[in-house]
Amino acid sequence: MELGRLEYLQALVTEFQVTDSTGNKRRRSLALSVSGISSRPRPFSLAEAKEQVLANLANFAYDPSNYEYLRQLQVLDLFLDMLTEDNESLVEFAMGGLCNLCLDKTNKEYILEANGVEPIINCLSSSNEETVVSAVSTLMFLTTPRSRAQTTALPVVECMLRFSLSANRRLSNLASIFLQDYCTAPQLEEARNLSKHTAVGIPLPKD
Amino acid sequence: MGHGKMAAGSSSGAPGAPCRHHAQLGACESRAKYREGWRPRAVKVYTINLESRYLLIQGVPALGVMKELVEQFALYGAIEEYHALDEYPAEQFTEVYLIKFKKLQCARVAKKKMDERSFFGSLLHVCYAPEFETVQETREKLQDRRKYIAKATNQRDCFILKKVEGPKKTVSKNSEQDCPWSTSGSHVASNWDPSCFTSSPGVSHNIAYPSGNQDESLLTSPHYDNNCTQVPGYFGQNISLTPSVHPGGHTPPASLMQQRMVPAYNGIDRFMPRTTHLQERKRKREEGNKFSLIGTSEDNTEVVIGPQLPEIPKVDMDDESLNTSATLIRNKLKEVADSVSTSVEKPESSSAKPLVKQRRRI
């Protein structure tokens, strides 16, 4: 069972990497082989394959028993890399994957070491609701005494203030928890003063 | 800058309004064969933010079948609340219901089982409805997830279960004690990590390791769902019952729900024959998804519908010899579950382990 799971995850990552490679012939043949296997008439794109694989990995990241394998296969790096992709779905799924696995101590340290906080903060500006929501909770989960200067930096707190007023209940709940549980009173004060005077900040998601 | 991009009003995210995450995505048709599951699935990632004790059920035929619907869902666990959502857009001749489970785990299983199920001739669509959560409920959800991970990941390193230290913060009680560390962070040691911290007062360490949950160690062997693009990769009935189970061996506050769910198997009752515990747990494992009807609510203000999930009891005994015996039994069970040799561990080695456990720090 152990081996089967590792192999499966390996196949996922390999598929992802092959999909990512340049070279038209390889792409086309992959697309053909995949669509041939699944034997569906619907046209199939490589972007879709990547999305599926990434979603699969992100869902695997929910289960702690997979963490060792995911680390071995460098999936954490994969998730972090995907945060800067143009494809909104890839960002959403990668952000979800990080949210799922970042509570584990080893994973947390790895993400912090890899300067993962910055791209995650950038995800707060996404127009994708799921991405933003995942980013908020991930920042909470990644907050440690050492990292909190970064995860609760002024622009972040100011952003959370605005999120907490959102009509989107999921977002406002999470933002409220962020402000209440992870920020000090001086931080809140400073952020409130900031939002009164300046226009710099992180936009709310479109939804 | 005055961002115009505010979150839209009632059309998204507010409870009772259609949300994007309620929408049923089309099934993915282009999945590679080795990733094909048994049922057609959409491409979706589930995080703790999407999951909820609240389930939204669409497609219920408007035949006055609310009672039957609730009874059906109650098979998966205790239901705290339910009502129709009249303002939610519904297809003609169908209704929409909201069902709130007591436990997230039950909601998860119920969703998996009942989604796309036929009900009185109509196909149900079941999804999570986290927008109905209060801030406190969301907070507790995140904390439960934290505790679960802390337990599960340390579990992997050490299959020996730890002694629980004291009354844990439990769901929906102690609501005033929210993560005090954020304000009292100045006195915390530098290597402290919030992921293993709960806000129970007076507890200094290792709160996240309840004892008596040997089933976790047995069942963290890889067990993943092929259809993982929609469902998180583990079945909770094996694993996450314990985080909210109250430890035995201490008198818990009377208001705790969990105590009511563990009537006969409370660790306080140390005179219950240990073989009964063993057989009971073995039976539960073998039955898999079947839930027995145990426990009644002593608190009449709670409406408990349907059978409650059997709580795995905590075997927290203050007695060294009892702990030794418990460890012995757990190890034995572990061996059986691993399907390897059935060599019996020496009592001496197992008695050494509780000492090692207690020194272990995260």
Side-chain angles (χ1 to χ4, degrees):
Chain A
M1 262 294 230
E2 297 275 343
L3 205 56
R5 182 182 285 216
L6 180 59
E7 282 168 351
Y8 186 83
L9 288 171
Q10 183 110 54
L12 282 178
V13 177
T14 307
E15 184 181 342
F16 196 91
Q17 289 166 344
V18 170
T19 309
D20 200 25
S21 67
T22 55
N24 288 332
K25 263 192 191 165
R26 219 166 148 196
R27 279 186 193 161
R28 248 183 267 127
S29 66
L30 174 70
L32 282 173
S33 60
V34 172
S35 57
I37 287 168
S38 60
S39 60
R40 307 277 183 192
R42 196 166 150 278
F44 167 70
S45 76
L46 283 166
E48 276 185 308
K50 271 171 95 163
E51 288 167 20
Q52 288 168 27
V53 173
L54 196 61
N56 218 348
L57 289 169
N59 281 320
F60 262 122
Y62 194 95
D63 182 358
S65 61
N66 293 319
Y67 289 168
E68 195 52 55
Y69 304 131
L70 291 173
R71 285 192 285 264
Q72 277 178 37
L73 297 170
Q74 297 178 304
V75 172
L76 275 75
D77 293 297
L78 181 65
F79 286 158
L80 289 170
D81 288 341
M82 290 297 110
L83 292 184
T84 48
E85 285 280 318
D86 291 327
N87 184 328
E88 196 181 273
S89 296
L90 290 180
V91 177
E92 179 189 329
F93 297 155
M95 196 61 250
L98 287 169
C99 177
N100 280 339
L101 54 69
C102 70
L103 270 174
D104 169 79
K105 194 160 189 287
T106 313
N107 295 341
K108 186 186 305 197
E109 281 165 9
Y110 189 91
I111 293 169
L112 292 173
E113 286 295 306
N115 292 318
V117 176
E118 202 185 307
I120 294 167
I121 289 177
N122 290 338
C123 284
L124 293 173
S125 341
S126 170
S127 54
N128 180 306
E129 181 187 334
E130 289 304 324
T131 303
V132 176
V133 158
S134 295
V136 175
S137 54
T138 305
L139 283 173
M140 286 197 270
F141 293 153
L142 289 176
T143 301
T144 66
R146 275 183 309 164
S147 73
R148 63 180 307 186
Q150 215 187 351
T151 59
T152 62
L154 187 56
V156 177
V157 181
E158 199 256 336
C159 172
M160 296 296 173
L161 270 175
R162 279 181 296 118
F163 284 174
S164 67
L165 303 171
S166 167
N168 184 316
R169 180 70 85 84
R170 271 201 304 162
L171 185 60
S172 66
N173 278 1
L174 287 170
S176 300
I177 294 168
F178 187 97
L179 294 167
Q180 290 167 23
D181 298 357
Y182 295 84
C183 301
T184 63
Q187 280 179 305
L188 294 178
E189 190 60 39
E190 201 185 350
R192 282 195 191 106
N193 289 336
L194 181 73
S195 57
K196 273 185 221 158
H197 299 302
T198 74
V200 177
I202 302 168
L204 290 166
K206 238 178 238 160
D207 250 356
Chain B
M1 189 174 344
H3 294 283
K5 281 193 215 168
M6 295 290 287
S10 59
S11 64
S12 102
C19 304
R20 203 197 282 166
H21 58 265
H22 294 170
Q24 189 176 37
L25 305 173
C28 172
E29 293 176 352
S30 57
R31 195 167 274 130
K33 187 120 190 233
Y34 80 95
R35 289 188 278 110
E36 274 286 327
W38 295 112
R39 298 166 56 193
R41 300 241 174 225
V43 180
K44 195 165 179 176
V45 172
Y46 280 81
T47 66
I48 192 61
N49 297 319
L50 197 57
E51 297 185 326
S52 177
R53 294 195 280 147
Y54 291 88
L55 291 184
L56 193 81
I57 299 122
Q58 296 167 272
V60 183
L63 301 168
V65 291
M66 178 168 84
K67 179 169 159 293
E68 285 80 358
L69 181 78
V70 174
E71 278 170 3
Q72 185 68 269
F73 275 82
L75 293 176
Y76 301 102
I79 290 173
E80 209 169 284
E81 277 176 36
Y82 60 90
H83 55 267
L85 288 178
D86 299 317
E87 64 280 4
Y88 198 95
E91 277 179 32
Q92 211 178 17
F93 307 123
T94 68
E95 296 171 324
V96 178
Y97 284 87
L98 184 74
I99 290 185
K100 180 185 178 187
F101 280 87
K102 260 189 178 171
K103 296 252 180 97
L104 177 64
Q105 196 36 47
C106 304
R108 197 181 278 142
V109 178
K111 178 201 179 297
K112 182 170 194 253
K113 299 288 180 185
M114 296 300 296
D115 193 19
E116 297 287 289
R117 263 262 278 266
S118 176
F119 184 75
F120 283 88
S122 177
L123 264 189
L124 296 179
H125 170 49
V126 182
C127 58
Y128 296 108
E131 63 278 6
F132 283 90
E133 291 171 4
T134 62
V135 175
Q136 185 54 25
E137 285 170 342
T138 305
R139 175 182 278 124
E140 281 159 4
K141 185 177 72 171
L142 296 178
Q143 282 170 351
D144 286 345
R145 172 77 181 154
R146 230 186 234 285
K147 285 181 211 165
Y148 168 73
I149 297 289
K151 182 171 61 66
T153 51
N154 280 278
Q155 197 73 33
R156 304 221 92 209
D157 297 335
C158 170
F159 284 101
I160 310 305
L161 302 153
K162 301 194 186 307
K163 200 173 154 174
V164 71
E165 299 299 339
K168 277 169 33 181
K169 177 174 174 204
T170 51
V171 174
S172 86
K173 306 299 171 193
N174 307 332
S175 54
E176 294 75 38
Q177 300 168 13
D178 295 322
C179 292
W181 65 268
S182 60
T183 48
S184 60
S186 53
H187 70 271
V188 177
S190 60
N191 60 350
W192 156 87
D193 183 338
S195 70
C196 63
F197 188 91
T198 65
S199 47
S200 299
V203 186
S204 57
H205 55 256
N206 289 356
I207 304 166
Y209 305 105
S211 62
N213 56 349
Q214 65 270 29
D215 288 82
E216 280 69 31
S217 67
L218 304 176
L219 298 163
T220 47
S221 59
H223 174 222
Y224 63 94
D225 185 347
N226 235 354
N227 310 322
C228 59
T229 49
Q230 191 174 7
V231 174
Y234 73 96
F235 284 101
Q237 83 268 13
N238 297 331
I239 295 171
S240 59
L241 290 178
T242 316
S244 51
V245 172
H246 190 76
H250 300 265
T251 307
S255 58
L256 282 172
M257 292 190 288
Q258 281 72 12
Q259 191 196 8
R260 279 180 266 111
M261 290 187 196
V262 192
Y265 300 104
N266 196 312
I268 292 172
D269 188 5
R270 56 200 281 181
F271 297 112
M272 174 177 281
R274 281 171 228 137
T275 49
T276 309
H277 280 294
L278 191 68
Q279 285 164 1
E280 185 57 40
R281 290 185 200 117
K282 201 171 171 185
R283 183 186 62 76
K284 281 177 207 162
R285 273 203 311 283
E286 282 161 2
E287 282 180 0
N289 268 332
K290 287 187 223 164
F291 300 124
S292 55
L293 256 171
I294 59 162
T296 52
S297 170
E298 282 146 39
D299 179 357
N300 293 325
T301 61
E302 290 273 354
V303 177
V304 175
I305 300 166
Q308 296 174 357
L309 278 177
E311 298 291 329
I312 296 177
K314 292 211 179 284
V315 187
D316 172 38
M317 296 158 281
D318 292 332
D319 186 78
E320 181 64 33
S321 69
L322 285 173
N323 274 332
T324 306
S325 308
T327 310
L328 199 66
I329 294 167
R330 281 183 219 121
N331 292 338
K332 195 86 188 246
L333 288 173
K334 188 182 82 121
E335 285 169 19
V336 168
D338 288 347
S339 303
V340 288
S341 69
T342 54
S343 59
V344 180
E345 276 193 59
K346 294 189 171 51
E348 305 87 69
S349 59
S350 58
S351 68
K353 282 166 190 168
L355 290 173
V356 173
K357 277 191 278 180
Q358 285 161 10
R359 278 195 222 105
R360 183 179 164 81
R361 293 290 177 265
I362 302 159

